[in-house]
Amino acid sequence: MERTPLFYLANLGSEVNRIFTLKEKGLTKESEAAYARAISIIDKLLKHPDLEGRAEEIKILKDYLEQSMRSNRVQFLKKEWQGYFSPYANRLLSLNG
């Protein structure tokens, strides 16, 4: 079953939120596992035919996530990422609800 970019972006948002929730709790191993899942989703987005020509945008997202993983400003970054991904999740829910 082919997934839409919206599906992947909404799920990426969930993984990113999970990363920072786990980091807040000091669960480094679990946070790194969520990060690996997030990178896997980003890789799927980079290969998705509907996003041809938007690879640079997705690569910037990936780079920022990598930088965020190295940062200690967990609470600030978590809110920033939630703000970025909320529209995708809301849109997906409205289409499926």
Side-chain angles (χ1 to χ4, degrees):
M1 174 183 203
E2 181 65 30
R3 303 289 187 176
T4 66
L6 181 60
F7 173 85
Y8 286 126
L9 284 164
N11 281 281
L12 178 58
S14 293
E15 285 301 332
V16 170
N17 189 60
R18 190 171 292 117
I19 289 167
F20 292 103
T21 297
L22 292 166
K23 279 184 87 166
E24 284 176 325
K25 294 178 180 181
L27 300 171
T28 304
K29 184 177 177 182
E30 292 85 349
S31 176
E32 289 171 357
Y35 174 71
R37 290 189 299 272
I39 293 299
S40 174
I41 294 169
I42 289 172
D43 290 341
K44 289 175 184 174
L45 284 165
L46 283 167
K47 296 175 187 172
H48 201 286
D50 290 351
L51 294 179
E52 265 185 57
R54 296 186 69 187
E56 283 305 310
E57 184 179 342
I58 303 301
K59 287 177 185 175
I60 290 169
L61 182 71
K62 185 177 184 178
D63 289 344
Y64 189 66
L65 181 57
E66 289 170 354
Q67 292 172 26
S68 295
M69 280 297 291
R70 293 188 298 268
S71 176
N72 292 325
R73 301 176 334 163
V74 175
Q75 189 61 31
F76 171 77
L77 289 167
K78 183 178 178 181
K79 288 179 183 175
E80 197 172 90
W81 281 107
Q82 286 171 337
Y84 178 82
F85 284 111
S86 288
Y88 298 112
N90 291 337
R91 173 145 171 114
L92 184 64
L93 288 172
S94 72
L95 292 174
N96 292 325

